[in-house]
């Protein structure tokens, strides 16, 4: 009798498992199976257009490349028009996702509203905006914020290294920096000069950070700034400068960027997602889920600092809830990773 009951229970369990498998295979109300990367196992197709920051570009490209291995029929294009250039296209409804190295600004918010574009702000990583010199430079190890301001402020009289520090050589400084349409330009000028977009104009400007790397690498007395990932990719061609924000010189690296000790040049990086595009294109939802699920290792490989798992969970919830608006007030200085969780909770 006992054996008969046991067989009956086993039969019922087996039938339940079989029914569950059939329902899952037919899409009968259960969740779709997931790949290891967190993207839906369901094969998708379509197009996703990403543009914006050259700093965020390596992340977008890496995520798109890995995502495409799971979803080969989704065409993800990544361009780098600069943060400002990307936002111009985004608020006009020309692209699905805008990569940004600073938060969206009031004029861009107004333009989006005017054009009926609702956006979802997704912090995706942290960067340490890096100041670099040529490897042959044997006299600069640390610079203060005041040193950098003296060099970069509008109408600066600095032309020689010795103008900054008399102990440095009387050699002309060749300057390389972000173009004026770049979020890096906005953030650097606010953090160093004290006012966004306030900068001397007689420097080699580019929206392409690779151009800046090449410039510094080719000039013994050059000085430049750009995102940390480009330092990681070009070690040996350029040399990092420690930044003294008032507590001694600190070099950017994954640890100092993550714990907030590299100041005032640590900053969050973003994707801004068109809400309607997210609603209409399941491939965009899958791409975001891929980033928040497998993004840590991919972002590390680009040289940037990924967010903690609990923060990515918050980011994913913003996307799932299609929560629009910004948590920031323009290019804020001194924002730390933990602030994102605090602000979202508030």
């Amino acid at each position: 009798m006992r054996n008969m009951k046991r067989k009956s229970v086993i039969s019922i369990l087996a039938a339940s498992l079989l029914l569950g498998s059939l329902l899952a295979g037919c899409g009968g109300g259960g969740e779709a199976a997931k790949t290891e990367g967190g993207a839906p196992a369901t094969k998708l197709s379509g197009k996703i257009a990403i543009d914006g920051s050259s700093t965020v570009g390596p992340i977008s490209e890496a995520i798109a490349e890995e995502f495409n291995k799971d979803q080969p029929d989704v065409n993800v294009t990544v361009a780098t028009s600069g943060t400002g250039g990307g936002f111009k296209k985004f608020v006009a409804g020309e692209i699905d996702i805008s990569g940004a190295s600073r938060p969206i600004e009031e004029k861009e918010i107004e333009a989006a509203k005017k054009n009926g574009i609702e956006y979802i702000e997704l912090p995706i990583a942290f960067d340490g905006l890096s100041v670099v010199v040529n490897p042959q430079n044997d006299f600069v190890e640390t610079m203060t914020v005041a040193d950098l301001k003296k060099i970069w402020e509008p109408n600066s009289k600095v032309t020689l290294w010795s103008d900054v520090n008399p102990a440095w050589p009387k050699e002309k400084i060749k300057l390389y920096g972000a173009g004026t349409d770049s979020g890096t330009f906005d953030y650097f000028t606010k953090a160093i000069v004290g006012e966004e977009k306030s900068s001397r104009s007689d420097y080699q400007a580019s929206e392409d950070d690779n151009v800046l790397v090449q410039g510094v690498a080719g000039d013994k007395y050059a000085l430049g700034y750009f995102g940390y990932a480009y330092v990681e990719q070009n070690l040996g061609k350029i040399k990092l400068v420690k930044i003294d924000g008032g507590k001694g010189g600190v070099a950017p690296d994954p640890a100092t960027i993550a714990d907030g000790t590299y100041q005032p040049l640590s900053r969050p990086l973003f994707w801004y997602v068109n809400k309607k595009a997210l609603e209409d294109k399941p491939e965009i939802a899958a791409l975001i889920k891929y980033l928040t699920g497998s993004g840590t290792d991919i972002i590390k490989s680009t040289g940037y600092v990924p967010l903690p798992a609990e923060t990515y969970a918050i980011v994913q919830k913003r996307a799932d809830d299609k929560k629009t608006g910004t948590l920031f007030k323009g290019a804020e200085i001194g924002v730390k990773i933990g602030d994102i969780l605090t602000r979202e909770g508030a």
Side-chain angles (χ1 to χ4, degrees):
M1 187 68 133
R2 221 174 260 172
N3 286 338
M4 288 178 67
K5 284 183 180 179
R6 189 176 296 146
K7 286 180 181 177
S8 297
V9 171
I10 290 171
S11 298
I12 291 168
L13 286 172
S16 298
L17 287 170
L18 178 60
L19 180 60
S21 298
L22 289 170
L23 285 172
C26 296
E31 274 197 355
K34 308 287 188 203
T35 65
E36 187 179 346
T42 304
K43 289 301 177 184
L44 300 167
S45 61
K47 296 180 180 180
I48 302 173
I50 304 175
D51 202 336
S53 166
S54 62
T55 301
V56 181
I59 297 176
S60 300
E61 288 167 0
I63 294 292
E65 182 179 345
E66 292 302 312
F67 175 75
N68 199 240
K69 292 176 183 177
D70 283 343
Q71 299 289 357
D73 294 328
V74 178
N75 180 22
V76 185
T77 60
V78 180
T80 51
S81 301
T83 295
F87 273 133
K88 286 174 186 174
K89 295 179 182 180
F90 182 77
V91 301
E94 296 173 11
I95 57 175
D96 302 307
I97 298 172
S98 187
S101 57
R102 59 155 172 80
I104 192 168
E105 295 184 335
E106 190 59 39
K107 64 179 181 180
E108 293 153 347
I109 293 171
E110 288 302 315
K113 186 176 180 180
K114 181 180 178 182
N115 294 329
I117 303 295
E118 292 185 278
Y119 62 89
I120 301 165
E121 178 184 75
L122 303 179
I124 61 171
F126 255 69
D127 175 35
L129 211 168
S130 303
V131 177
V132 299
V133 293
N134 186 281
Q136 295 181 62
N137 183 318
D138 58 3
F139 54 89
V140 173
E141 297 296 330
T142 300
M143 297 184 77
T144 65
V145 171
D147 290 335
L148 291 169
K149 181 178 180 180
K150 189 176 181 180
I151 294 170
W152 286 99
E153 64 188 349
N155 304 313
S156 171
K157 304 300 181 184
V158 171
T159 57
L160 308 176
W161 280 102
S162 56
D163 293 334
V164 184
N165 185 329
W168 294 345
K170 293 182 179 180
E171 297 286 350
K172 186 174 181 180
I173 302 178
K174 184 65 179 291
L175 296 172
Y176 295 85
T180 56
D181 222 12
S182 167
T184 296
F185 175 77
D186 296 339
Y187 191 91
F188 184 83
T189 50
K190 188 167 184 178
I192 298 303
V193 180
E195 183 181 347
E196 199 170 307
K197 300 186 184 299
S198 180
S199 173
R200 66 190 297 166
S201 58
D202 57 336
Y203 70 97
Q204 179 64 51
S206 179
E207 307 292 349
D208 185 344
D209 291 353
N210 287 305
V211 171
L212 305 179
V213 170
Q214 293 167 12
V216 176
D219 191 323
K220 182 178 179 179
Y221 295 106
L223 174 76
Y225 66 88
F226 38 76
Y228 182 72
Y230 291 87
V231 175
E232 284 275 285
Q233 295 166 12
N234 294 280
L235 292 174
K237 296 181 182 178
I238 51 180
K239 186 178 87 170
L240 274 171
V241 176
K242 294 178 182 178
I243 303 302
D244 184 351
K247 297 181 179 179
V250 178
D253 62 37
T256 61
I257 295 168
D259 66 19
T261 55
Y262 180 66
Q263 289 294 349
L265 295 176
S266 289
R267 57 179 178 163
L269 303 176
F270 303 88
W271 271 1
Y272 285 82
V273 182
N274 182 304
K275 182 185 175 185
K276 187 174 188 308
L278 178 60
E279 292 170 339
D280 293 346
K281 298 182 176 184
E283 59 270 27
I284 295 179
L287 181 67
I288 294 169
K289 192 162 288 189
Y290 194 91
L291 183 147
T292 61
S294 291
T296 297
D297 289 338
I298 298 170
I299 289 169
K300 276 183 182 176
S301 74
T302 65
Y304 291 117
V305 177
L307 307 178
E310 62 269 25
T311 308
Y312 280 125
I314 294 291
V315 171
Q316 182 60 56
K317 191 171 189 307
R318 280 184 73 82
D320 291 341
D321 294 346
K322 298 180 179 62
K323 192 168 185 179
T324 58
T326 179
L327 298 172
F328 298 84
K329 296 179 180 178
E332 298 179 33
I333 309 303
V335 174
K336 298 180 181 180
I337 289 176
D339 293 343
I340 296 171
L341 283 170
T342 304
R343 292 181 183 203
E344 183 63 30

